Amino acid sequence: MKNTKRDIETYKQKIKERGFRLTETRMVILDVLLKSSGELDAEELFFLSHKKYPKIGLATIYRNLGLLEKEGLVTRTGFENNKAKYRIEERPELAVWKSDMRPSKSGLDKNKFTGDAGYPLATGYEGNLEDYRNIERISAIQSQLAGWLSELNKIKREKELALEDVIKDFGKVDKIVSYHENQRSNLIQILLDVQDEYRWLPKHVLFYISNRLDVPLTDIYGIATFYKYFNLEPQGKHSIIACMGTACHVRGAMNLLQRITGILGIKPGDTTGDYKFTLKTVNCLGCCALGPVIIISNKYYSNPSISNLKKILKQLN
Amino acid sequence: MAINNKIGSLRSLLEKADKLQRQLNNADAIFSVCCGRSCKAYSAEDICTAMADELKKNYVKENDKIVIRRTGCHGYCEKGPIIIVYPESICYLQVKKDDVSEIIDKTLKGEIVERLLYKDGEGNLITKESDIPFYKFQNRVLLSSNSKIDSRNIDDYIRIGGYQSLAKAISQMRPEEVLQEVKNANLRGRGGGGFPAGVKWETTKNAAGEPKYIIVNADEGDPGAYMDRGILEGNPHSVLEGLIIGAYAIGSNMGFIYVRQEYPLTVENVNIAIGQAKEYGLIGENILNSGFNFDVKVHKGAGSYVSGESSALTTAIEGSVGEPRLKYIHTSESGLWGKPTNLNNVETFANVPLIIKNGADWFKGMGTKNSSGTKIFSLVGKVNNTGLVEVPMGITLRDIIYKIGGGIKDGKKFKAVQTGGPSGGVIPEQLLDLPVDFDELTKAGSMMGSGGMVVMDETSCMVNMAHYFLKFLADESCGKCVPCREGLRQMIYIYERIMEGKGREEDLTLLADLSMLLKEASLCALGTTAPNIVLTTLKYFKEEYEAHIYYNICPAKVCTPLIK
């Protein structure tokens, strides 16, 4: 996909356009970055460039990387082990970010973009039409990105809604609240019963309870996040609870947990993608004599092996 | 209908008990099937159904003369499911569904199924429950009733003399006398603190403010401990009776039972028990025609360890976030909704009816001078006989672990026993002859706690254990005070460093310093007792820390990065 020869020409041109010299160091850096498939940090870059151009020093690399980054030809992609990683900007024609925000050298009509009183519109900014086009392009990309993100969130929300959809009528919630005499002091009991009903506490149900009991929503969320039993996310159809109590710990609860996480491929606290299983840990189930204990869909198992676990899970499917 | 069932006086209670006992004497055989949590996990429920089916199918005539009783925990969880056949009290262990027909058949013929009996080390068979070493060295004052009653049937409890203490207290004693009796018995709080219950009751009674509340703390969060569940699930009426007597003594008309939601069966049994007691007029208005009213409500916890602390528990019952507060004013003076509130542990309340029935002197006859009575421990971990153990105070740890517990599993070497849950410390082999009571264990740097006893053998790494407990506590810390929230986290960092082989020389002093800080500056008992595990492991197992730090070796081969 990448045509290095043509590509490097574009970058060269871009550097020239900006009024910078095409030094050998810059050429080498660009070359190395273009040829490497992934991201490099400054030290790796130095190591590779050094072979081509032995005169180069690490400080030079840092300085030039800073410049290229400023010019938008190189992107800093983040930190790994406290080291910045660099990647070549694949569409140099879009490289506008920082350098174009500087006053242009080409001498344009300053009055065009200043206000009535002759002050610049924004401090440190004197742009031209080309700048505006670039900015428009960037905002177009940004809005596209935002669109994708909202699309993703929508999908996630839809999944949740589909689960919430089951809880359309509040008849059951009403019943529970009335059973507890509409009292603020019974809030925990109400939430417990609601969760027993739906396996989790959907947002709109909490809103509803907040209205009915006339309790601020923050109070409800305070309780729902403080106590471990409450789930604010949809739960799997079957819950798997691994006991991490002392007695189970001494008898190898960690190994059992590793076995089950290995099979399900999720961490404790997570739910499988198909909302079939939720894995949780608990600090003591009070049947220490059986340890290590795991509850799978309300049935207690004492230290099951991998094959047993697989069999049990398969039966639940 | 319900009115007819009400019991009006001590006399009618005695008559009822007598009648029920005579009814039972007619039975040929009574099968007490343990349906405690552990045995249930071993499918004890299936055994009960199989038994009922078998009776229906093959023994139509004798049907009314054979009783199947679903009981609470018998204690010997290691060998579950357990069936005890009365009146001979033959004990069958590790019963399976297929054994049911043989047991019924042989019992009716007067024979014994030998292969299900307990075998001791020399191959001798032991028939009776009380002769099995696990039970022989215990003093089961509270737990022994568990196998004699169906936990969901109030009649069974009345048959063995239940609610007679309540009737005696209400009809023959003034509240002050009841209080004095409990005070004389020196009943110390079984929840861990060991504060005399009588004194607490007196403070609540004399505190200004009405109404007064009384709470049963059954928020048994300690990992590795399930004594309270054993009682509350197997014999809920004994706790209720104690609670009502307590309420009468301090002048309270409203009680709460705070149970963990993780114990659904307990919640169920307690609710059933309350319903039955109400039906018999033992809870409600004008109890036993004395003019004394009392109501009780069950409050389910929602999974928070720190909510077992008294001030946190009261806020949890009020329906808020269960965080502790500074206790310069105790809950006995200002608790639930700012009113005087008495809070005791399940086991404490369960002892009360026995004290009223047998007198303070009887109670003081058991145990040591400063810690009277018995204490239930949940003996778990790497020991041969795990289960609930009730022993008189003052027995040595060695007796509990070797005589009752039957020694260490798989012939391994004993390393330490951890008492008192996460707040306690570890006790090494050289201190095994320590008598178990409130004061001695505290002197050794650990504590009695609620009664968890986790035995560890040579394959447990002490550094790893301390890290495990700190992690538990950091996880459960409410985060209100800084020493606990931040201190525990820093200690965990240090432990992780040591376990990865990156420990530094100064880490040991740093740990000790942090521990002292936590002890001094934390708000509630969770923070002040958290360093116990660090300090005791540092004191008794320093060489293990040093092996990790200086030689990058984990002697027990637990810390994976150090295994080569």
Side-chain angles (χ1 to χ4, degrees), chain A residues 181 183-189 192-193 196 219 222-223 226-230 244-247 249-252 282-290 298 300-302, chain B residues 37-38 41-42 77-78 223-224 226 229 260-261 299-304 307 316-322 337 380-382 386 409 464-465 468-469 472 475-476 478:
Chain A
E181 296 154 1
Q183 270 179 18
R184 162 79 177 82
S185 60
N186 287 334
L187 186 55
I188 297 174
Q189 307 306 305
L192 277 171
D193 286 356
D196 286 346
D219 281 14
I223 286 171
F226 178 80
Y227 292 100
K228 292 226 170 65
Y229 183 64
F230 296 123
M244 295 281 119
T246 324
H249 178 83
V250 171
R251 288 186 176 197
V282 69
N283 279 324
C284 189
L285 290 164
C287 42
C288 310
L290 294 177
N298 294 328
Y300 289 65
Y301 297 94
S302 171
Chain B
R37 184 69 275 166
S38 290
Y42 285 130
C77 305
E78 183 74 30
Y226 57 108
R229 156 204 276 222
R260 295 173 81 197
Q261 146 286 324
H299 185 101
K300 276 194 282 178
S304 162
S307 292
I317 291 184
E318 286 167 17
S320 311
V321 169
W337 294 288
V380 292
K382 299 281 186 69
T386 52
K409 245 190 167 127
N464 176 282
M465 270 331 275
Y468 164 81
F469 280 114
F472 168 82
D475 198 31
E476 296 289 354
C478 70

Side-chain angles (χ1 to χ4, degrees), chain B residues 461-477:
Chain B
C461 168
M462 286 299 130
V463 180
N464 176 282
M465 270 331 275
H467 172 252
Y468 164 81
F469 280 114
L470 289 182
K471 243 187 140 174
F472 168 82
L473 290 165
D475 198 31
E476 296 289 354
S477 167

Side-chain angles (χ1 to χ4, degrees), chain B residues 479-510:
Chain B
K480 189 173 176 178
C481 73
V482 182
C484 176
R485 186 184 65 219
E486 297 302 326
L488 285 173
R489 209 184 299 178
Q490 294 310 323
M491 278 158 112
I492 289 173
Y493 287 149
I494 297 174
Y495 269 102
E496 276 169 0
R497 198 155 72 203
I498 296 175
M499 283 160 64
E500 279 171 15
K502 292 174 189 159
R504 302 172 196 157
E505 206 176 339
E506 67 270 21
D507 278 349
L508 297 184
T509 39
L510 197 58

Side-chain angles (χ1 to χ4, degrees), chain B residues 67-113:
Chain B
V67 182
I68 302 171
R69 193 187 281 152
R70 286 160 208 237
T71 72
C73 185
H74 294 190
Y76 200 3
C77 305
E78 183 74 30
K79 301 274 185 198
I82 303 170
I83 296 181
I84 298 177
V85 185
Y86 288 107
E88 295 91 352
S89 78
I90 302 161
C91 181
Y92 294 125
L93 303 168
Q94 290 177 317
V95 180
K96 292 198 181 58
K97 212 169 129 187
D98 308 337
D99 304 328
V100 164
S101 55
E102 192 184 347
I103 291 176
I104 297 178
D105 186 46
K106 288 212 168 164
T107 305
L108 291 181
K109 283 183 197 156
E111 293 168 20
I112 292 170
V113 188

Side-chain angles (χ1 to χ4, degrees), chain B residues 337-376:
Chain B
W337 294 288
K339 303 288 181 212
T341 305
N342 183 77
L343 203 132
N344 283 118
N345 173 262
V346 170
E347 207 182 323
T348 317
F349 277 119
N351 270 309
V352 171
L354 298 173
I355 292 172
I356 298 296
K357 191 177 177 184
N358 303 318
D361 291 330
W362 165 83
F363 191 73
K364 269 166 118 179
M366 299 181 290
T368 59
K369 190 168 164 266
N370 289 325
S371 309
S372 15
T374 61
K375 174 82 191 85
I376 304 177

Side-chain angles (χ1 to χ4, degrees), chain A residues 56-68:
Chain A
I56 209 162
L58 189 58
T60 331
I61 299 250
Y62 271 118
R63 191 156 26 85
N64 282 302
L65 272 174
L67 178 92
L68 291 172

